[in-house]
Amino acid sequence: MRWRAWGVVLVGALGTVMSVGSGADAQPEPVLSVIVHPSNRGATGDRTALRQLFQTKVTRWASGERAVPLNLPRGSAARDAFDRAVLGLSPEESERYWIDRKIRGGAPPPALAPDPATVLRTVAQTPGGIGYVPAGATGAEVRVIATVRDGKVVTE
Amino acid sequence: MCGRHRWPDSALRTALRRGIPALVGVVTATGAGIARAQPAADAAAVPAAEPVPGAPAAAEPAAAPAEPAPPGAVASPEVAALRAEVEALRATSAEQQRRLDELAAKAEVDAEPPPLAVEPVATEAPSLRLYGFMDVGFRRFFTRDDNRLLAVWPPAATAVLGNVNLYLDGRPHPNVRTLAEVRFSQYPHYALTASSFDGESTAVYDTNSSTGGNEVIWSGIVLERAQIEWTRFDLFKVRVGYFLTPFGIWNVDHSMAVLITQRLPQFFSREYYPTRQTGLEISGLKPFGDFELEYHAWVGNGRTHGADATDDKMFGGRIVGGYDGAVRVALGASGFYGRNAFAQHPIRSFSPFTTDIVIDTEYDEYGGGLDFALDWEGLRFRWESVVAREEYLDGRRAEFAPGYFRPDRTRSGTYAVLAYRLPWGGLEPYLWVERDVAVSNAPSTIPSAGLNVHLSPSIQIKGNFAWVRFDEPDENLDFSALDLRLVAVF
């Protein structure tokens, strides 16, 4: 194998790379309600606390109850909006963050719920549960501790 | 599932998908028809010149809701009947719309939920996750013909199989995690060792195949780590087993899938500190707003990964202070101290059976390191510095070659790498510089440049060119290296 052959391989690889683009369409971000179990009176919805929970750096509530954060699937508008506002990470950065974490052998990411209905149901049934759903989809079965709107976290 | 009746998910969705538009259509048409009919009907009783108080502008007559006739207006019985009918229809329409809105809002919520992709709380059944990373690539060394290390760095282009690492991540209990990481390799097929550069083939006949004559390469699995963690408290986690020594950045980041460059610092590849421990580690993390403090403390066998020959153990720790905001920074300090002993176990006699423990190598070892990491938007900076010393006990120096004994030695190394992720093409060029002070050869300086191409968060192409330059009198050891890798995380 000579240099020319390796050069062809390299140029081909770079060509593939340059064809990769980000085709994300600009769409309004959804407004989200951050919810916990109604019995969780000590939960605070400030951004720092949420970030620590959803980065699984903090795994317990102040009461000692196990925190059970629930994420929506990557690629959903709600997940992207939440990651940007709370973690300060773009979708790609968020994916990268969790890849790095697992390869380092760190604590696993939050559990993944397939849709807001599952988040709502699970949080309503789990004393340590915390998740986020589109605003307006909540009821008395959960407690809203924060609202994510326009990239900002507003504590309730 | 609650006791009250719920529609099956698919049925509810189908009904809503078909029913809501139809119902909305009916309601809209009815409402619009009523709205259109209303002015005409009222026109018969109310002079057109008299506007209805509170009605919208005339530009939107069709959408304007009909208002009650002004006081004093005279309405015929037919108009009154029509008005009553309109009011009834309007009320019905409003009620239907309200119920539709409720249904639409709760459709997702009331739908039969599919099971969680990952159970949020460990269930009775132990769970196991499999993931890992691998890299393949191309490498070529460039060096002079009289370089005495040609056997190690032959100047030939070669394709290489790097790491094929598999993680087995289990959670047998909500507070317990098991993690084993293994590396599949082609070793010891033609492997070089510290004492021999005569690699040997491990190819064997596959006697279990149909022909029995084809060759397969018998190879080994490298255990990277195998640990059990107790994670009940964030401030006090316990890890036991065979784990990566919490020291600096490189040993923790561990994989070129995470690290900026595939190039290994000399202090890592030559193990100025023991990169793994068999023992116990406690760790914890305490956030203070956007700041956080992390600690690790461990005790282990030191360099002896198997059974220890003495009661002397190695101790170490690491502390990291960080800020996790728009800019992410972390400053860490690591250290270790311990005594290593390597023993022979000769059998003195078989009858009676008598053995002995002869410690042939024993030395104290200590060292420390500082590290700094910064992430700001597309910028990544890493700096790490290590110094370590070995002091041998009299008569127990390591004999690394027949008649050659290792002196006490102090080794140090430092590197800094600066990378910037460009906003297009996933391109991340970087610069690296390293300074290494060893004992077996003159100090070296290693500038390096590279380019990472992030095809996706889990796939990268990594290219690196390094110039390894030794101080006098070892200039003939100089070499350069080109290394290209395709790295994938799975």
Side-chain angles (χ1 to χ4, degrees):
Chain A
M1 181 67 83
R2 285 295 171 215
W3 288 108
R4 180 179 297 177
W6 287 107
V8 169
V9 172
L10 182 60
V11 169
L14 287 175
T16 304
V17 171
M18 300 309 291
S19 67
V20 175
S22 61
D25 296 328
Q27 293 185 350
E29 289 190 339
V31 180
L32 305 173
S33 293
V34 182
I35 56 174
V36 297
H37 191 271
S39 67
N40 189 347
R41 307 308 301 179
T44 59
D46 66 275
R47 177 180 175 271
T48 301
L50 294 178
R51 177 170 54 77
Q52 290 160 357
L53 286 165
F54 279 87
Q55 286 181 331
T56 62
K57 290 182 175 178
V58 171
T59 63
R60 300 273 166 181
W61 295 104
S63 63
E65 182 80 46
R66 169 186 296 279
V68 183
L70 292 167
N71 252 340
L72 288 171
R74 204 179 304 283
S76 69
R79 169 67 181 274
D80 292 352
F82 186 83
D83 281 354
R84 284 185 197 280
V86 175
L87 305 186
L89 301 173
S90 69
E92 184 183 346
E93 290 169 336
S94 172
E95 187 173 356
R96 185 77 226 171
Y97 177 88
W98 289 112
I99 287 173
D100 289 356
R101 173 80 79 86
K102 76 177 182 182
I103 296 302
R104 288 187 180 109
L112 197 63
D115 52 44
T118 306
V119 173
L120 195 59
R121 177 183 66 94
T122 306
V123 171
Q125 297 175 355
T126 308
I130 179 171
Y132 51 89
V133 296
T138 61
E141 68 272 37
V142 294
R143 188 166 77 87
V144 177
I145 60 171
T147 300
V148 177
R149 184 196 304 270
D150 298 331
K152 292 185 170 51
V153 179
V154 180
T155 305
E156 297 289 329
Chain B
M1 184 80 179
C2 296
R4 67 190 173 94
H5 172 73
R6 291 170 186 255
W7 289 17
D9 181 38
S10 57
L12 178 62
R13 289 176 186 278
T14 303
L16 288 172
R17 193 179 304 120
R18 294 176 180 171
I20 290 175
L23 206 49
V24 168
V26 169
V27 170
T28 306
T30 306
I34 292 168
R36 277 193 298 274
Q38 188 67 35
D42 286 349
V46 180
E50 292 186 29
V52 177
E60 310 175 55
E67 293 292 330
V74 179
S76 68
E78 292 173 350
V79 170
L82 277 171
R83 180 170 289 133
E85 187 178 350
V86 165
E87 291 302 322
L89 282 170
R90 183 180 292 143
T92 304
S93 171
E95 174 61 16
Q96 288 172 335
Q97 188 61 51
R98 187 185 64 78
R99 297 186 61 183
L100 280 171
D101 290 343
E102 283 182 1
L103 280 172
K106 301 203 70 168
E108 290 295 319
V109 174
D110 284 345
E112 184 69 25
L116 285 174
V118 176
E119 287 294 334
V121 183
T123 58
E124 293 178 1
S127 60
L128 177 66
R129 294 192 304 150
L130 298 177
Y131 50 88
F133 64 92
M134 64 182 295
D135 69 87
V136 297
F138 162 84
R139 187 194 66 205
R140 193 187 197 286
F141 291 122
F142 305 87
T143 187
R144 47 200 288 176
D145 293 339
D146 61 347
N147 191 327
R148 65 176 186 266
L149 297 178
L150 276 175
V152 185
W153 299 304
T158 179
V160 289
L161 173 64
N163 286 69
V164 183
N165 286 35
L166 178 67
Y167 290 65
L168 300 96
D169 189 345
R171 190 167 284 271
H173 181 275
N175 295 329
V176 177
R177 180 191 187 201
T178 61
L179 178 65
E181 180 188 354
V182 295
R183 175 186 176 186
F184 299 101
S185 75
Q186 295 174 313
Y187 303 127
H189 185 61
Y190 283 111
L192 310 184
T193 69
S195 58
S196 171
F197 295 159
D198 296 324
E200 294 184 1
S201 172
T202 62
V204 296
Y205 288 119
D206 184 3
T207 54
N208 291 301
S209 71
S210 58
T211 64
N214 59 301
E215 282 190 344
V216 293
I217 296 172
W218 170 78
S219 57
I221 295 175
V222 179
L223 185 61
E224 298 274 6
R225 55 181 145 187
Q227 60 201 35
I228 300 174
E229 302 171 1
W230 182 65
T231 59
R232 172 62 181 81
F233 301 105
D234 295 329
L235 266 175
F236 187 82
K237 297 178 181 178
V238 180
R239 172 181 293 165
V240 293
Y242 182 55
F243 51 85
L244 301 179
T245 309
F247 193 106
I249 296 173
W250 207 273
N251 207 44
V252 176
D253 283 1
H254 174 59
S255 158
M256 72 171 68
V258 177
L259 294 158
I260 294 174
T261 172
Q262 66 267 47
R263 180 155 191 83
L264 303 178
Q266 294 292 304
F267 65 71
F268 177 82
S269 61
R270 297 186 184 191
E271 289 213 36
Y272 290 4
Y273 54 86
T275 56
R276 290 172 175 79
Q277 287 296 314
T278 303
L280 177 147
E281 175 193 347
I282 59 172
S283 64
L285 184 145
K286 176 64 178 173
F288 302 93
D290 286 334
F291 294 90
E292 56 192 37
L293 193 62
E294 179 182 346
Y295 79 92
H296 300 261
W298 52 267
V299 56
N301 287 349
R303 301 267 181 184
T304 51
H305 297 150
D308 218 344
T310 69
D311 288 333
D312 297 317
K313 293 291 171 281
M314 183 171 280
F315 303 88
R318 172 168 171 75
I319 189 164
V320 186
Y323 173 78
D324 194 352
V327 178
R328 295 181 175 84
V329 295
L331 178 63
S334 312
F336 68 95
Y337 171 80
R339 174 165 292 186
N340 298 303
F342 299 91
Q344 303 290 326
H345 302 267
I347 296 174
R348 299 300 185 194
S349 74
F350 286 97
S351 181
F353 185 78
T354 308
T355 63
D356 202 354
I357 298 177
V358 178
I359 297 175
D360 53 7
T361 301
E362 191 169 15
Y363 61 98
D364 291 325
E365 182 180 20
Y366 51 91
L370 292 172
D371 56 87
F372 177 74
L374 180 148
D375 292 82
W376 180 52
E377 297 185 348
L379 185 74
R380 289 201 284 171
F381 176 76
R382 303 286 185 270
W383 167 78
E384 193 170 354
S385 193
V386 175
V387 61
R389 178 155 179 83
E390 297 173 2
E391 295 178 352
Y392 288 85
L393 275 64
D394 289 341
R396 290 181 175 175
R397 293 188 180 278
E399 187 175 18
F400 61 92
Y404 291 89
F405 294 91
R406 183 151 285 155
D408 293 349
R409 58 180 179 174
T410 300
R411 298 181 291 177
S412 64
T414 186
Y415 75 86
V417 57
L418 178 69
Y420 184 72
R421 174 78 178 269
L422 298 171
W424 37 265
L427 303 179
E428 185 186 39
Y430 65 85
L431 293 172
W432 156 288
V433 65
E434 178 186 358
R435 177 71 175 171
D436 178 71
V437 180
V439 174
S440 55
N441 47 255
S444 58
T445 302
I446 308 169
S448 166
L451 177 67
N452 295 331
V453 185
H454 298 267
L455 303 179
S456 79
S458 55
I459 303 175
Q460 296 178 56
I461 294 174
K462 300 175 87 76
N464 176 273
F465 193 89
W467 296 265
V468 182
R469 296 294 177 264
F470 290 85
D471 294 354
E472 293 181 355
D474 283 335
E475 301 97 318
N476 66 335
L477 296 179
D478 289 355
F479 69 95
S480 301
L482 172 67
D483 192 271
L484 299 172
R485 302 283 170 141
L486 175 63
V487 189
V489 177
F490 53 88

